[in-house]
Amino acid sequence: MKKVVLIGAGKIGGQALECLGEELVEYFVDNHKAGQTYMEKPIYSMEKLMADREKYLFLLTIADMKYRDEFIDQLYRMGINDFYYFDCGIYKRNIFQKSDSQVYTRKTLYEDMVEVNPERVCVLGGERQIGRFVANLFEIENYYDETKFYLTPDLADEYDFIFVNVKNYSYKLHSQLKTTNIKIYYIAHYYNSYNFLAKRGLAEFAGKYKGEKRCFIIGNGPSLTSRDLDLLAEHNEFCIGLNMVQEIYSQTKWRPNYICISDKLVISQKLDYILENNSCPIFLSAAVQLCLSPFQYEKAILFHEANSQDRVYRVIRFGTELSNGAIPSGWPVSYTAIQLAVYMGFDKIFLLGMDNSNWTKCSSDDNSLFMNDRNEELITWVCTNAYKRAEAASIEYGFKIYNATRGGCLEEFERVNFDKLFSKLS
């Protein structure tokens, strides 16, 4: 295998080194820091590249466009046109993602490849040049552009691994690859969340339940009881559960129609457990790309957390048009679920088990999933403003949110007695 010279000794360069592994990095190049060291690697000026242009691969790791253009111009003037770009998005996950691996575990590229025989590997696709970079780095000769590569079941006789790096991943492509019985790795962004969202999106849910009587959003607060859930099941109420709501399944016959998860800690620590213990569709934040291949579970419906802020409430805006797969985020997953319910067509939304308290308490006796190291005051402030924004949106768009939680500290919505909601139905 070859080694890499990182052009740019800054934050992105450090991320590239951590991603590749120190074993693969020879040195840094940075005109402004020549003569120093960074992450225990020497830093040289650009002139050093001329002597080493045949020995190493050059990887540009500069985020600032001003300095990036400066370095690129100098490379071209030196007659060096063969270099690659480090995509900082790669740093968020493994360069390689096994197709049968459900949970993300960070490994360096060196650790992934050190024992792999390059003669038994083929690289499929050159998207973002990462495929070509990996092929050159590990001297893999079996490199194919995606438009010229034909998948056949007997590929397993020729290769042990296929490293896939194409622009648009699809279930069709994945199914074709699986028939080859070869170990499949997806390079870098093993899928692009925006491509995936654009294809599936949330368009199918627009007004899907319009005319239904009401929707219950079930939180994980300590006030939630199995008796309440049994009542919901008895009356066949439409429900969206949040995060780890399955923790109470052993005590009730109730099951939600959908589950909504946006908490990155929940996703990283509990996602497999949640998916294994629920049969209903699950709305998942696109942060799931850190942990889960979209090909693993058909029931996963991805959404992107939008970032356009509302200046009045200092939280993300309230969205009523979600067909492109983007849902404004206000921190609490309940804010996301409320928007989903409105988008689905419900004009009466009831919150249950939404105590809005006990942020720093986490015990086995309740269903709370808030972590001990979070800042209670900050979270309370952000969540309160999110709920205020949701209440304002209900007035603006003509739907109603009620708080049916027993007790708790959520006072932004009109309170109703949960038991009385069923007195006229019995």
Side-chain angles (χ1 to χ4, degrees):
M1 63 181 69
K2 292 186 177 181
K3 284 201 170 185
V4 179
V5 171
L6 300 178
I7 304 174
K11 179 180 178 181
I12 305 300
Q15 291 180 350
L17 186 144
E18 291 181 356
C19 191
L20 297 172
E22 62 179 19
E23 298 89 348
L24 292 179
V25 176
E26 187 68 14
Y27 58 83
F28 286 93
V29 163
D30 194 317
N31 290 329
H32 306 285
K33 301 177 182 179
Q36 304 176 34
T37 60
Y38 182 51
M39 300 184 75
E40 301 183 0
K41 297 288 182 180
I43 306 174
Y44 298 104
S45 65
M46 291 285 282
E47 285 70 22
K48 171 80 169 162
L49 297 181
M50 289 299 294
D52 293 337
R53 61 187 304 171
E54 302 299 328
K55 294 172 60 178
Y56 306 118
L57 297 181
F58 301 149
L59 192 62
L60 195 64
T61 63
I62 302 170
D64 190 300
M65 292 302 297
K66 174 185 175 181
Y67 293 114
R68 178 184 290 187
D69 291 344
E70 173 188 319
F71 277 91
I72 291 175
D73 288 343
Q74 189 170 354
L75 285 168
Y76 285 153
R77 289 197 302 270
M78 296 167 65
I80 299 175
N81 302 311
D82 189 14
F83 56 89
Y84 300 90
Y85 297 89
F86 178 76
D87 183 343
C88 60
I90 299 171
Y91 182 69
K92 298 178 182 178
R93 58 198 71 96
N94 291 358
I95 282 190
F96 294 147
Q97 170 68 31
K98 294 181 182 178
S99 66
D100 57 353
S101 175
Q102 298 173 9
V103 178
Y104 157 83
T105 303
R106 178 176 291 282
K107 292 176 66 178
T108 67
L109 179 57
Y110 177 81
E111 290 173 320
D112 264 320
M113 289 293 293
V114 65
E115 296 182 357
V116 172
N117 179 1
E119 295 181 1
R120 297 285 299 176
V121 176
C122 73
V123 178
L124 167 59
E127 179 67 10
R128 300 175 307 280
Q129 295 192 9
I130 298 172
R132 174 60 70 182
F133 171 75
V134 171
N136 287 343
L137 181 61
F138 294 101
E139 300 177 293
I140 299 170
E141 296 182 0
N142 308 306
Y143 175 85
Y144 301 90
D145 182 86
E146 60 180 295
T147 61
K148 301 176 182 178
F149 189 77
Y150 297 93
L151 302 172
T152 58
D154 59 357
L155 283 176
D157 297 331
E158 190 172 355
Y159 304 115
D160 295 324
F161 299 90
I162 292 181
F163 295 146
V164 186
N165 180 45
V166 297
K167 184 174 183 179
N168 294 310
Y169 296 105
S170 66
Y171 289 106
K172 180 179 179 181
L173 172 63
H174 182 69
S175 298
Q176 288 178 312
L177 289 168
K178 291 293 284 184
T179 64
T180 64
N181 295 317
I182 299 177
K183 293 180 181 178
I184 306 166
Y185 284 72
Y186 293 97
I187 297 179
H189 303 245
Y190 55 89
Y191 75 97
N192 182 299
S193 62
Y194 289 99
N195 288 338
F196 190 75
L197 289 168
K199 289 185 176 182
R200 187 165 184 176
L202 299 174
E204 65 183 279
F205 297 98
K208 184 174 182 177
Y209 300 100
K210 189 173 182 62
E212 296 280 345
K213 50 187 177 181
R214 54 193 180 185
C215 171
F216 286 81
I217 297 176
I218 311 302
N220 297 286
S223 68
L224 185 67
T225 68
S226 58
R227 176 186 172 278
D228 294 339
L229 297 178
D230 287 340
L231 199 54
L232 292 173
E234 179 183 343
H235 291 281
N236 196 31
E237 297 287 352
F238 186 97
C239 300
I240 300 176
L242 306 181
N243 290 335
M244 294 284 289
V245 72
Q246 79 277 348
E247 290 296 278
I248 203 170
Y249 285 176
S250 61
Q251 304 172 39
T252 176
K253 61 183 178 181
W254 169 87
R255 296 293 183 271
N257 298 84
Y258 295 91
I259 288 179
C260 183
I261 306 173
S262 64
D263 192 304
K264 294 177 178 62
L265 282 172
V266 175
I267 290 173
S268 64
Q269 296 176 10
K270 299 288 187 178
L271 185 57
D272 273 352
Y273 179 70
I274 293 171
L275 290 165
E276 290 169 4
N277 288 277
N278 285 282
S279 58
C280 66
I282 300 175
F283 291 101
L284 286 171
S285 163
V288 75
Q289 64 186 300
L290 304 181
C291 316
L292 176 74
S293 164
F295 309 114
Q296 294 298 311
Y297 297 93
E298 285 280 356
K299 61 188 174 186
I301 305 164
L302 300 187
F303 64 86
H304 172 65
E305 294 182 87
N307 292 317
S308 55
Q309 291 192 353
D310 183 306
R311 295 182 180 180
V312 176
Y313 292 92
R314 294 190 178 184
V315 297
I316 308 302
R317 63 181 177 81
F318 191 94
T320 57
E321 170 48 54
L322 312 178
S323 59
N324 65 351
I327 304 179
S329 170
W331 194 321
V333 64
S334 49
Y335 188 74
T336 299
I338 289 171
Q339 293 173 90
L340 276 170
V342 173
Y343 179 65
M344 289 175 171
F346 292 99
D347 55 15
K348 290 185 179 179
I349 301 166
F350 294 83
L351 308 181
L352 182 66
M354 218 77 69
D355 295 57
N356 201 30
S357 61
N358 293 331
W359 294 101
T360 57
K361 179 183 177 182
C362 184
S363 72
S364 59
D365 295 326
D366 62 40
N367 296 313
S368 178
L369 195 64
F370 299 105
M371 305 301 173
N372 294 326
D373 60 351
R374 294 186 176 181
N375 186 297
E376 180 178 8
E377 183 178 352
L378 173 62
I379 294 177
T380 302
W381 181 84
V382 173
C383 291
T384 297
N385 277 278
Y387 291 134
K388 287 180 178 178
R389 180 65 184 92
E391 175 63 12
S394 71
I395 297 172
E396 180 179 357
Y397 296 110
F399 60 91
K400 186 67 178 177
I401 306 173
Y402 301 94
N403 182 10
T405 301
R406 300 180 188 279
C409 302
L410 179 57
E411 305 300 340
E412 279 62 48
F413 308 110
E414 178 184 341
R415 282 188 175 272
V416 294
N417 185 305
F418 178 77
D419 297 305
K420 290 184 178 180
L421 294 175
F422 305 92
S423 59
K424 294 181 181 180
L425 301 177
S426 300

